[in-house]
Amino acid sequence: MKRLIDYISNNVLIKVTSLQTASVLTRIIAGLLTSKAIAVFIGAEGLALIGNLRNFVSSFQTIAILGFYNGVVKYVSDFKDNVAELSKTLSTVFYVGFVSTILVCFFCYFNAENINNIIFPSYSDYAYVIRVFAIILPFYALNMFSFSIMNGFSKYKILIIINIIGQILSVSIALLLIYQRELSGALISVVIAESLIFLITLVGIINRRSLVPLIKVSNISFSFLKKMSSYSIIALFSTVIVPLVAIVIRSYIIEVEGYKDAGFWEAITRISKYYLMFVTSLMTLYILPRFSEINSAKEFKKEVFSFYKTIIPVLTLGLVLVYLLKPFIVALVYSSEFEPVEDLFLWQLLGDFVKVLSMVIAYQFLAKKMIWHYVLTEAFLVIMLYFTSIYFIKLYGVEGAVMGHFVSYVMYYAVILLIFWGSLFGGKKGMTQG
């Protein structure tokens, strides 16, 4: 426990101005402001549609860049002093990502009507939003490519500035569009928000313009592409499959209970996302690098239980406070129309508690590149999320969705404990991976 506290005091707090922490804070503030605007000007039904679109956008953005971001950061950092390898990295990611992005753009543009029918059930007039997304998607891809390079070169200061300015720009435009055009304005803001940051990132690109000559078609490396595959698999699973399942669940709520109840479910998941950002950012700053350093089951066990003893009591207190303050939170973030959301807090909070417990251990999959363990357990979680949510929604309405969330993570946690049982509770002394 002392190691964790010392690490947080000496390292994590120093990193408070890092890219991730600054991004978390600005995203939370931006999210709260847009949620309030949506509640006031659009209402619960509109929030359900926006939720479906947001999930669709995040999934297809990741597909467009093939989940390359984290891999590019790592290899740019590794090869920043090796011109030949850096050229292979940049050339491969740029041209393969360009082809992938263009294919996704064409798919979305020419299938806009069909996509509209899937993510906007019974609404037939928002295909143009999908086409706008298709047209602006390349700017998002260029933005992420530029971000990954700057991150790899540890240009944290300019990244912080870009993120803060970009978030302010995005939320300002979103609020203006919501005020002027209500639902259609909100939908447009969802598809253009991330791409708008590219205007700010241009400053960073100008600072790294010396890298442009390194991007050559002749330097595309398929062996490097193979190295990137593990990062792509992880990203595609975590940021594509889960949002798509969320669309399916939300659409089922719309079909069975109506748009308003689907909006209530979206409201509670947004609140959950806001408070969990603090926990997940801490785990990324401490757990992931720490697990990467250790090689014995004894140290792994020590770190897991140290984190549990230090952070879980604080998390528990925080979740209890959220539950007790739920009427004030709903009123602050949304409006009186969203009072039924208060009934969804208990199961959501319980599910989030178990989610954090499981995530702490599951980070070992990422730290030790246990790719197939990660994929199979994530697949199990997604399947359970779908089936338990559908089952409980049939029985209890929208409350069944948050009950499914809790039950799914209990089963996922059980699987995680089973995989690491020897390391955590047995006498295993060897390596903790595999």
Side-chain angles (χ1 to χ4, degrees), residues 118-192:
I118 293 171
I119 64 176
F120 302 130
S122 75
Y123 283 79
S124 59
D125 51 351
Y126 292 117
Y128 74 93
V129 174
I130 308 301
R131 293 193 178 97
V132 171
F133 169 69
I135 292 168
I136 206 167
L137 183 59
F139 294 102
Y140 168 83
L142 283 171
N143 187 61
M144 296 308 291
F145 178 64
S146 305
F147 260 39
S148 62
I149 293 172
M150 287 187 284
N151 206 349
F153 276 96
S154 301
K155 299 295 181 181
Y156 297 120
K157 187 174 181 180
I158 192 168
L159 282 170
I160 293 167
I161 295 169
I162 290 171
N163 266 272
I164 292 173
I165 295 175
Q167 290 296 327
I168 293 171
L169 176 65
S170 296
V171 73
S172 300
I173 292 175
L175 294 176
L176 180 63
L177 287 171
I178 291 169
Y179 176 75
Q180 290 186 335
R181 302 189 62 188
E182 296 185 341
L183 179 56
S184 61
L187 297 175
I188 290 293
S189 72
V190 169
V191 300
I192 68 173

Side-chain angles (χ1 to χ4, degrees), residues 220-236:
I220 294 175
S221 170
F222 289 100
S223 60
F224 173 75
L225 202 58
K226 188 177 180 181
K227 288 182 183 179
M228 291 286 289
S229 62
S230 60
Y231 293 95
S232 293
I233 291 170
I234 290 172
L236 291 172

Side-chain angles (χ1 to χ4, degrees), residues 40-173:
V40 172
F41 293 102
I42 302 171
E45 293 189 13
L47 189 62
L49 291 174
I50 293 165
N52 265 6
L53 180 62
R54 192 181 296 277
N55 289 145
F56 166 80
V57 166
S58 66
S59 291
F60 276 77
Q61 283 175 337
T62 304
I63 293 170
I65 62 173
L66 296 173
F68 279 165
Y69 183 85
N70 288 329
V72 177
V73 173
K74 173 183 167 44
Y75 287 112
V76 167
S77 179
D78 289 348
F79 301 139
K80 58 187 173 186
D81 297 318
N82 185 330
V83 175
E85 290 299 321
L86 183 60
S87 180
K88 284 182 182 179
T89 301
L90 298 180
S91 301
T92 303
V93 171
F94 179 82
Y95 285 107
V96 173
F98 173 78
V99 172
S100 171
T101 299
I102 294 302
L103 289 175
V104 172
C105 289
F106 277 110
F107 173 81
C108 292
Y109 190 90
F110 292 107
N111 288 279
E113 298 289 348
N114 294 328
I115 295 170
N116 176 94
N117 295 335
I118 293 171
I119 64 176
F120 302 130
S122 75
Y123 283 79
S124 59
D125 51 351
Y126 292 117
Y128 74 93
V129 174
I130 308 301
R131 293 193 178 97
V132 171
F133 169 69
I135 292 168
I136 206 167
L137 183 59
F139 294 102
Y140 168 83
L142 283 171
N143 187 61
M144 296 308 291
F145 178 64
S146 305
F147 260 39
S148 62
I149 293 172
M150 287 187 284
N151 206 349
F153 276 96
S154 301
K155 299 295 181 181
Y156 297 120
K157 187 174 181 180
I158 192 168
L159 282 170
I160 293 167
I161 295 169
I162 290 171
N163 266 272
I164 292 173
I165 295 175
Q167 290 296 327
I168 293 171
L169 176 65
S170 296
V171 73
S172 300
I173 292 175

